Amino acid sequence: MPEGDTIHRVAARLRPALAGARLVRFEAPRLVGARPRPGETVEAVEAAGKHLLIRFSGGLTLETHLRMAGSWHLYRTGERWRRPVHLLRCLVEVEGWQAACFSAPVVRTFPTAATGTVDDPTAHLGPDLCVDHPDPDGVVRTVLDRLAALDPSTQLGEALLDQRVAAGVGNVYKSEVCWHERVDPFVPLGRVDEATRERLVRTAARLLRANLGPGRRRTVAEGLAVYGRRGSPCRRCGTRISSDVRGELARVTYWCPTCQHPA
């Protein structure tokens, strides 16, 4: 599943082609909600955590969530697509450009006026850690308050993945952040003191924002510290990296048994 930094990169790639342009064609064979009409203007292309939002002048916002298999592509009009048409889930065409979304399981629209209300499908999200907020300390405080509201028996890694707490952290950053702060990802949240929680939140925000630009994702100079490196030496102590599948969603976690030994 794409992390928040991936969706912000997608928005940054689509925005110059779509924002301010007139809609020529809109297709979405499995769309939930009303359809924007040709002739409307694309007013904005935004990311909210792992959700991509495209806002139209007619009063609708298109929301897509890519989950595991989805992807957005940008093509010049007439350029050959790199994915088969039967996988198309949404096409936003403006003069000169086609933004095509393939295989996304969530493609829906909602009234832009409902943004921030119960009818906004992104209203449940916590602060987006990919965004450089004007009050970063206030954002951290909000995230800490939301962590404090969770069941203290929740594993730390699962808490970091909870988009209601903070938006943007996915499976990669869950593992990477815990490694950076030398914390066992399976420790119950109730055993993690507030100072450690704050470090985890600030590190997550720092790593996400450091990867908003082009190039390969890096959390250490060599690339990734632990994610996808089962059996390889820890970049800090040399111990072989472990991995395991746990939690309700059966997600894989990577960690160093020495650096992140349970307290």
Side-chain angles (χ1 to χ4, degrees):
M1 182 182 294
E3 316 271 316
D5 60 343
T6 300
I7 305 305
H8 277 265
R9 286 189 189 194
V10 171
R13 188 169 72 249
L14 298 183
R15 191 177 296 118
L18 299 183
R22 184 178 64 85
L23 183 66
V24 173
R25 180 162 58 120
F26 180 86
E27 293 183 14
R30 303 181 185 180
L31 178 72
V32 175
R35 294 174 178 270
R37 299 178 178 179
E40 294 182 16
T41 300
V42 178
E43 293 189 329
V45 181
E46 304 168 351
K50 300 178 183 181
H51 304 252
L52 185 79
L53 306 174
I54 300 178
R55 306 195 189 275
F56 298 91
S57 62
L60 292 175
T61 293
L62 171 70
E63 179 223 354
T64 60
H65 196 302
L66 302 181
R67 299 275 171 86
M68 297 299 294
S71 61
W72 274 96
H73 294 197
L74 183 63
Y75 300 102
R76 290 282 187 180
T77 300
E79 184 180 355
R80 184 176 180 179
W81 292 358
R82 297 188 299 277
R83 301 292 300 276
V85 69
H86 74 270
L87 295 180
L88 181 70
R89 298 294 178 264
C90 185
L91 175 68
V92 178
E93 182 174 354
V94 300
E95 186 175 353
W97 295 99
Q98 293 180 324
C101 181
F102 298 97
S103 302
V106 177
V107 180
R108 57 190 172 187
T109 59
F110 64 94
T112 302
T115 299
T117 73
V118 294
D119 295 320
D120 178 352
T122 67
H124 68 288
L125 297 176
D128 189 341
L129 298 184
C130 293
V131 176
D132 189 10
H133 297 274
D135 181 14
D137 291 337
V139 167
V140 171
R141 184 69 260 163
T142 297
V143 175
L144 292 176
D145 288 345
R146 294 191 177 204
L147 282 172
L150 296 180
D151 185 330
S153 68
T154 305
Q155 291 183 355
L156 173 62
E158 293 297 306
L160 291 175
L161 289 176
D162 192 332
Q163 300 299 290
R164 299 169 301 175
V165 172
V169 175
N171 221 31
V172 175
Y173 285 99
K174 172 197 71 178
S175 295
E176 296 294 300
V177 167
C178 287
W179 179 86
H180 272 269
E181 294 304 326
R182 300 174 180 257
V183 180
D184 173 16
F186 306 113
V187 66
L189 185 61
R191 290 173 51 193
V192 181
D193 61 58
E194 180 146 328
T196 302
R197 295 183 187 191
E198 180 173 346
R199 292 200 309 273
L200 289 162
V201 173
R202 292 188 184 276
T203 297
R206 175 176 61 83
L207 294 179
L208 281 162
R209 290 201 288 268
N211 283 283
L212 296 179
R216 186 163 62 103
R217 179 184 284 148
R218 294 179 182 274
T219 63
V220 292
E222 301 89 344
L224 296 179
V226 289
Y227 190 84
R229 300 189 63 245
R230 177 185 173 92
S232 299
C234 173
R235 301 196 191 278
R236 190 160 48 208
C237 73
T239 302
R240 292 189 181 277
I241 298 300
S242 294
S243 70
D244 197 5
V245 175
R246 302 189 193 180
E248 293 183 6
L249 298 178
R251 289 171 172 163
V252 65
T253 299
Y254 295 85
W255 78 100
C256 172
T258 298
C259 292
Q260 298 167 259
H261 191 272

